[in-house]
Amino acid sequence: MPLKPEELRRAAALARIDLTDVEVTTLTAQLGDVLERVERLEGGDDAPPDGAAPPAGRGDGAVRGDRPGADALALGLEAIAPGWTDGFFTVPRLPSHQEGAPAREEAP
C-alpha cells in the first residue's frame, strides 16, 4: 500500500509536526516501505524484499534436533530455572551474605 504525501501531511498536521517538502518526500518513501513490510507480515509473507538476504541471526524457526535442550523454553521456566519457588526465580545466597560470614574490612 503506497503512502501518499497528502496522507503523511495530514498525519503530521494532526500530530502538530511541521515538515518541509524534503522531509515529506523522504518520510513518504520510508513509511511506505514500513507499511509494505507490515502488510507482507500480516499476510504471512515474511520473505525479504527483492531477493535480499534475511537479517543476520535470523533462522528459519526450526528447532535443531541435534542440540539437547534446544526447545527448553517449551518446557516452561520452572523446568530450566536454577531455582524456582512459588512462581519466582530463586538464587543461592552469596557466601559473603551467609550468617556467620566474616565481616568485610573497610578500606583505609
Side-chain angles (χ1 to χ4, degrees):
M1 168 177 119
L3 182 67
K4 298 176 186 167
E6 301 81 37
E7 294 172 318
L8 179 65
R9 287 184 195 279
R10 173 76 176 135
L14 290 171
R16 296 182 179 155
I17 299 172
D18 293 324
L19 298 175
T20 65
D21 290 341
V22 172
E23 290 171 325
V24 169
T25 302
T26 303
L27 289 172
T28 299
Q30 291 174 346
L31 290 173
D33 290 344
V34 170
L35 292 173
E36 180 183 321
R37 179 70 175 161
V38 169
E39 283 181 347
R40 278 201 311 267
L41 290 174
E42 286 178 343
D45 177 17
D46 63 349
D50 303 325
R58 165 114 188 254
D60 62 1
V63 175
R64 291 180 48 173
D66 63 334
R67 281 193 352 214
D71 59 349
L73 289 179
L75 301 174
L77 291 176
E78 55 277 346
I80 61 172
W84 188 264
T85 304
D86 297 327
F88 294 96
F89 289 106
T90 58
V91 294
R93 280 185 158 295
L94 294 172
S96 62
H97 289 77
Q98 296 288 350
E99 282 189 38
R104 194 173 86 174
E105 292 183 23
E106 295 294 321

